[in-house]
Amino acid sequence: MPAADPQTSPSGAAILRFLRVTLHVGFAVLLLVAILRLHFADGGLDGATGAAGAALPAGTAAGQRLAWSALALALAAAYLAGTVLEKRFAAGRSSFNPHPYAAPWLGLVTVLWCVLLAGSAEFSWVAFPLFFLHLHVLPRRIALLTIAAMTAAVVASQWVASGLPSPTQPMVLGPMLGAGFAVVTGLAYRGLYQESEAQRLAAAELRRTRAELARTQHEAGVAAERERLAREIHDTLAQGLSSIVLVARAAEKSLASGDFAAAAERFALVRQTASENLAEARSFVRGLTSPQLQESSLPESLQRLCGETETLAAARGDGLRCRFELVGDPAELPPQYSVTLLRAAQASLANVRLHAKASTAVVTLAFLGDEVTLDVYDDGTGFVPEAPGPGVAGRADGSGFGLRSLAARVADLNGSLDVETAPSEGTVVAIRLPLSGGALPGPPLPGPEGEQD
């Protein structure tokens, strides 16, 4: 009999374990009772009779009884070996799989029982636990045929042992009713076992699915975190390092021309930009908001950004003028809104400073009731726009990432990003973020004293 699988439900495992133990105990008890009756029934050795009912000499009877007892012990050993191997394999303590040998093992056990039954009718009752084994190991139709043959053998053995001219009704009905009960119980056990196996397989499939889902979620989390870091690096460190390189080149030119005052001013700007980017790096590694937003409001940060843009452009010798405009009454924004708008302005102004060749840039922050908008305009050369998407792929040199990164940020907040541009007609980057439940009106935040020009 198979051991209950550890993955089976607790109630099913308990029932299967109880039935299995009951079967093994029943087999052992019936076999022991048969051996004891063989030795001590009807007055012991002197009253022993053969299979045909004839009296046997005491010495002969004792020898036969010892022979049948030895054969019964061989039957017990064969039965025990099969059940132990099955239990060890089911519990995972052995790599030997006894399932392919179940039918030959059952055949050996049945043959030994038949030999014992031919020697003494006392072994008739051992047939009942064997019925269950036949139902479990063999196909149903074959099992029913073998059970019918075993029942007939039990009836014949008891008839021969009784010495009567014909079998009595109890001799026939007893084994038949026992066989019928065994068949019904065995089929019920088999149905319960199959249901438990189905539950075990379903549970194993569920565990595999959960493991696959956990792995997929982990990979998605890793990809999302990689994308977040890519955005932060592009909008902070990459832009800052680019500015440092450009200002450092301008400082080198000032040193070469002997303008030490301008060189010192530009090296101070390099130091300031490096310090700000170091603070940004430490901040986004810890998952915090931008240090600029921790020190001031979003309008103040945007106005300061416009001033820094003018300074960096001047360090390169460009005459870019950048101003900030505030429309409407400022409202308290969720941190992710403020960070997204600030990063959008940083990325857009970096593009203006590096690529647009513009003379004027205007950053407009507007609070329009149920939405907040940010528009970055420049009068530069413009470009042929590509549809920005949430992907993170850029050019091979690492550029071309800005609009894609910005589009992904805005999409995460259910906002919209529009880029209006054409060659020689300037560019407008327009962002719209909904405020439905996301931002709460509050007291006016300190804004800029006026437009920067």
Side-chain angles (χ1 to χ4, degrees), residues 33-87:
V33 168
I35 295 174
L36 293 177
R37 286 182 56 82
L38 180 66
H39 281 274
F40 302 110
D42 299 327
L45 298 178
D46 294 336
T49 58
L56 296 174
T60 303
Q64 287 186 355
R65 288 169 179 170
L66 290 177
W68 296 129
S69 298
L71 189 59
L73 293 178
L75 171 61
Y79 184 93
L80 182 63
T83 56
V84 168
L85 288 175
E86 172 66 29
K87 183 174 179 60

Side-chain angles (χ1 to χ4, degrees), residues 340-355:
T340 296
L341 294 175
L342 178 60
R343 295 290 187 246
Q346 289 173 330
S348 300
L349 290 179
N351 287 333
V352 171
R353 192 178 71 248
L354 297 175
H355 308 297

Side-chain angles (χ1 to χ4, degrees), residues 289-311:
T289 187
S290 171
Q292 299 182 30
L293 294 173
Q294 291 178 336
E295 299 170 356
S296 58
S297 66
L298 177 61
E300 291 173 339
S301 298
L302 292 175
Q303 180 172 333
R304 184 169 57 249
L305 177 62
C306 287
E308 294 172 354
T309 300
E310 281 192 354
T311 302

Side-chain angles (χ1 to χ4, degrees), residues 284-441:
F284 75 70
V285 165
R286 290 192 294 265
L288 303 177
T289 187
S290 171
Q292 299 182 30
L293 294 173
Q294 291 178 336
E295 299 170 356
S296 58
S297 66
L298 177 61
E300 291 173 339
S301 298
L302 292 175
Q303 180 172 333
R304 184 169 57 249
L305 177 62
C306 287
E308 294 172 354
T309 300
E310 281 192 354
T311 302
L312 290 172
R316 294 181 58 193
D318 298 332
L320 176 64
R321 306 294 289 173
C322 182
R323 71 176 186 267
F324 171 69
E325 296 180 354
L326 176 65
V327 178
D329 295 329
E332 294 180 358
L333 297 175
Q336 63 269 32
Y337 275 47
S338 298
V339 170
T340 296
L341 294 175
L342 178 60
R343 295 290 187 246
Q346 289 173 330
S348 300
L349 290 179
N351 287 333
V352 171
R353 192 178 71 248
L354 297 175
H355 308 297
K357 299 179 181 178
S359 60
T360 302
V362 180
V363 177
T364 304
L365 177 67
F367 292 86
L368 305 176
D370 60 350
E371 67 177 7
V372 59
T373 69
L374 178 73
D375 296 332
V376 181
Y377 161 77
D378 72 82
D379 60 356
T381 58
F383 60 95
V384 178
E386 297 177 0
V392 298
R395 302 187 184 99
D397 61 356
S399 62
F401 183 81
L403 284 179
R404 292 183 176 87
S405 171
L406 182 54
R409 285 184 181 274
V410 173
D412 288 343
L413 300 178
N414 297 319
S416 63
L417 169 66
D418 295 312
V419 180
E420 299 177 6
T421 185
S424 303
E425 295 185 8
T427 303
V428 177
V429 177
I431 297 173
R432 303 289 184 268
L433 297 179
L435 294 182
S436 54
L440 303 176

Side-chain angles (χ1 to χ4, degrees), residues 187-205:
L187 292 178
Y189 172 88
R190 190 169 186 173
L192 178 61
Y193 176 79
Q194 291 174 347
E195 181 180 356
S196 298
E197 280 293 293
Q199 292 179 355
R200 181 185 67 82
L201 294 176
E205 181 64 26

Side-chain angles (χ1 to χ4, degrees), residues 47-226:
T49 58
L56 296 174
T60 303
Q64 287 186 355
R65 288 169 179 170
L66 290 177
W68 296 129
S69 298
L71 189 59
L73 293 178
L75 171 61
Y79 184 93
L80 182 63
T83 56
V84 168
L85 288 175
E86 172 66 29
K87 183 174 179 60
R88 287 177 57 83
F89 177 76
R93 297 195 298 267
S94 173
S95 59
F96 175 72
N97 184 6
H99 292 166
Y101 306 97
W105 168 78
L106 180 60
L108 173 63
V109 169
T110 304
V111 168
L112 291 175
W113 171 78
C114 290
V115 175
L116 288 172
L117 185 64
S120 174
E122 302 295 348
F123 295 96
S124 298
W125 310 110
V126 182
F128 295 105
L130 295 181
F131 291 161
F132 292 98
L133 289 179
H134 280 254
L135 285 170
H136 180 75
V137 173
L138 301 178
R140 182 178 301 177
R141 292 183 179 180
I142 297 178
L144 293 177
L145 291 176
T146 57
I147 290 174
M150 293 170 65
T151 303
V154 170
V155 173
S157 175
Q158 293 186 354
W159 176 30
V160 171
S162 68
L164 298 176
S166 62
T168 62
Q169 188 175 9
M171 291 180 186
V172 177
L173 290 180
M176 290 182 63
L177 291 176
F181 175 78
V183 168
V184 172
T185 305
L187 292 178
Y189 172 88
R190 190 169 186 173
L192 178 61
Y193 176 79
Q194 291 174 347
E195 181 180 356
S196 298
E197 280 293 293
Q199 292 179 355
R200 181 185 67 82
L201 294 176
E205 181 64 26
L206 178 60
R207 285 191 298 274
R208 285 193 295 269
T209 302
R210 290 176 60 183
E212 179 65 20
L213 179 60
R215 184 186 64 81
T216 303
Q217 290 178 337
H218 173 73
E219 292 178 353
V222 170
E225 181 63 12
R226 184 182 295 120

